[in-house]
Amino acid sequence: MFETYDLKNFGARIRKIRKSLGYSQTQVSTETGVHRDTLRRIENGNNIVTFDTLNKLSMFFKKDLFHEIAHYNTNRNLLNYYEKIDDIISSYDYDKLINISNDFEVNFKDKSPSDFSLYEGGVIEQFRLIVKGIEKLIKKDQDNKKIMSIFKEALKLTLKDFNLYNFSKFKYNLFEIRILIMIAVALKRDNNYEKSNEILKFALKSLDFSEESLLNEKKLIIKCFSNISYNYHNMNNYMKSLEYAIKGIVYAINQDIIYALNHLYYRKGIAEYLLDKDESIYKDSLNKAIHILEIKGYYELAKKYKEITKDRYNIYLDR
C-alpha cells in the first residue's frame, strides 16, 4: 500500500511545535543537523520527511512525530472512506452513500491541487468518481455504458493507459482493484458476463489470500467470489455458480467475516435448487442468507430476498 500525506498541514504543525518551544529554524538546524533549508521546506509543506529527519526532530522536540504524522496520512483517511463504501455496496444504502460523500467533501473541500502531489490529487478525484458511479448503480440507472465510463475514467487518473483490453498488464493497489471490480459489476449489468468474470478472476489473483492481509482486502476477495458466482448463474452454468459460492463461503468462514456472506449463501441455495438438490439442502442455504441479513439488521432487504425467491422460484422460506 502506498503512503501519502497532507504535507502542508503537517508542516504547519511542525512550525507550531518549534515556535511553541521558542526555537528558530537556525537553532533547530544547529542542534539536530537537519539542514535549515530542509526544515524550511518541511514547514512549508514542500518536502517529504525522511525517517532519519523525523527521528532527529522527535528527539529534539521531545515529541513523537511519528505518531503526529499518522494523523496527516491522506491514504488512511481515504481508506476509511473506502471501507465505508464497501459496506454501502453490499447494502445498497443510498442515504449512507450521500452522507459519506458529503462528509468526504467537508474534509477535502479546502484542499487545493497544490496541497497534494499529482498522484494524491488523482486518488482523491478517483473517490469522487467512484461515489458518482455507485450512486448510479444504487439508483438503478440503466445507462451501463455511462456507469462503466465513470469507473474507467477513475482508473485512468492513476493508470492513464488503462482500457478493457490491456487491464491485465497493470499492477493495482487496493483502491484501483475496487474500481476494477466495479467495472466488472457494470459489465455484469450489461450482460457481458464472460468479460466480467475475466476481470474478477484477475482481481482474485492480484489480491493477498494470506492471513496477514488487511480486512478490506479480504472483503474484496469475498466480493469477487460472490460476483463470479452470480455471473455463472446468469450464464446458466449452475455447477460453476455453486463452486464459486462455496469457495467464497469457505474463505469467509475461515476468516471469521460475515461481510457479503448472505450473497454467497443465496447464490449457493439458488444453484442447489436449479441443480435439483434436495429441498432441505437448498432451503438451508437460502435460510442462512436471510438469517445473516437479519443479524446485520437489514430486515427490509431480508424481506425483499424472500419475496424475490417466492416470485421467481416459487420457494417459500421459513424465516
Side-chain angles (χ1 to χ4, degrees):
M1 171 65 71
F2 56 87
E3 297 291 338
T4 55
Y5 295 88
D6 181 351
L7 298 179
K8 184 175 181 179
N9 283 317
F10 179 66
R13 174 64 178 154
I14 293 293
R15 182 186 294 111
K16 184 176 180 179
I17 291 171
R18 173 178 61 78
K19 288 186 174 182
S20 71
L21 295 172
Y23 294 117
S24 67
Q25 288 181 342
T26 301
Q27 286 175 304
V28 174
S29 177
T30 301
E31 294 295 328
T32 63
V34 175
H35 197 282
R36 184 176 180 278
D37 187 54
T38 299
L39 183 60
R40 178 184 60 78
R41 289 178 59 79
I42 289 171
E43 291 187 358
N44 289 336
N46 297 324
N47 215 64
I48 296 173
V49 192
T50 66
F51 179 91
D52 185 52
T53 297
L54 206 57
N55 189 48
K56 288 177 179 178
L57 293 176
S58 293
M59 295 288 287
F60 182 70
F61 291 146
K62 298 191 183 303
K63 272 194 172 291
D64 185 355
L65 297 181
F66 291 97
H67 178 74
E68 290 274 346
I69 199 171
H71 295 290
Y72 298 89
N73 187 322
T74 307
N75 271 14
R76 181 65 253 173
N77 290 335
L78 282 169
L79 187 56
N80 288 336
Y81 283 110
Y82 271 95
E83 288 172 351
K84 292 175 183 177
I85 283 289
D86 283 341
D87 291 331
I88 286 169
I89 294 170
S90 178
S91 63
Y92 267 46
D93 192 321
Y94 178 76
D95 290 335
K96 282 186 179 178
L97 177 69
I98 297 305
N99 287 338
I100 288 173
S101 177
N102 291 339
D103 185 59
F104 178 85
E105 293 303 334
V106 167
N107 276 332
F108 288 94
K109 69 177 181 179
D110 295 327
K111 308 294 185 186
S112 67
S114 61
D115 291 334
F116 301 103
S117 68
L118 179 62
Y119 191 83
E120 287 176 283
V123 171
I124 290 165
E125 185 57 30
Q126 266 186 346
F127 185 84
R128 292 190 174 108
L129 287 169
I130 288 173
V131 169
K132 183 179 178 181
I134 292 172
E135 181 180 353
K136 286 184 174 293
L137 285 174
I138 291 176
K139 293 173 76 173
K140 300 188 183 301
D141 190 314
Q142 296 303 309
D143 191 351
N144 290 316
K145 295 288 192 298
K146 176 63 177 176
I147 293 171
M148 208 179 311
S149 71
I150 291 170
F151 290 130
K152 285 194 285 188
E153 182 185 349
L155 265 186
K156 285 185 176 182
L157 287 170
T158 50
L159 300 170
K160 66 176 183 177
D161 296 323
F162 170 86
N163 62 56
L164 290 180
Y165 303 100
N166 69 358
F167 73 89
S168 61
K169 296 180 180 179
F170 299 98
K171 290 191 178 296
Y172 298 82
N173 60 50
L174 288 187
F175 292 174
E176 292 162 342
I177 287 179
R178 275 182 177 85
I179 305 170
L180 197 62
I181 291 171
M182 296 314 299
I183 288 174
V185 170
L187 285 165
K188 176 181 70 178
R189 282 167 50 101
D190 208 32
N191 300 327
N192 194 343
Y193 306 121
E194 289 188 6
K195 190 67 177 181
S196 178
N197 269 358
E198 183 186 349
I199 291 174
L200 290 166
K201 288 178 182 180
F202 171 82
L204 274 180
K205 290 179 181 178
S206 303
L207 291 164
D208 181 4
F209 277 74
S210 72
E211 290 293 329
E212 295 75 26
S213 63
L214 298 171
L215 174 61
N216 53 311
E217 188 161 7
K218 292 174 181 177
K219 286 182 176 181
L220 291 180
I221 290 170
I222 294 168
K223 189 189 299 292
C224 285
F225 279 128
S226 177
N227 279 289
I228 292 171
S229 176
Y230 191 36
N231 280 337
Y232 275 125
H233 165 83
N234 287 318
M235 295 162 70
N236 299 324
N237 191 337
Y238 306 126
M239 284 297 295
K240 279 289 186 181
S241 179
L242 180 60
E243 175 190 336
Y244 275 88
I246 291 172
K247 284 181 178 180
I249 290 167
V250 170
Y251 177 80
I253 290 174
N254 286 341
Q255 301 298 323
D256 292 322
I257 298 173
I258 197 172
Y259 173 81
L261 197 53
N262 53 289
H263 295 300
L264 290 163
Y265 269 116
Y266 191 80
R267 295 269 55 89
K268 178 175 180 285
I270 295 301
E272 288 166 339
Y273 167 76
L274 293 169
L275 289 168
D276 294 323
K277 302 291 185 182
D278 188 81
E279 181 181 8
S280 63
I281 293 175
Y282 67 74
K283 274 198 170 182
D284 178 66
S285 297
L286 294 172
N287 278 319
K288 282 178 179 174
I290 301 301
H291 184 49
I292 290 167
L293 282 172
E294 291 172 346
I295 288 173
K296 293 163 73 175
Y298 298 145
Y299 297 106
E300 286 302 313
L301 192 55
K303 183 180 177 182
K304 188 176 292 186
Y305 263 52
K306 287 191 280 189
E307 289 173 354
I308 290 172
T309 307
K310 180 185 70 174
D311 295 342
R312 195 169 294 174
Y313 303 104
N314 199 32
I315 300 173
Y316 291 78
L317 299 176
D318 302 329
R319 297 196 64 84

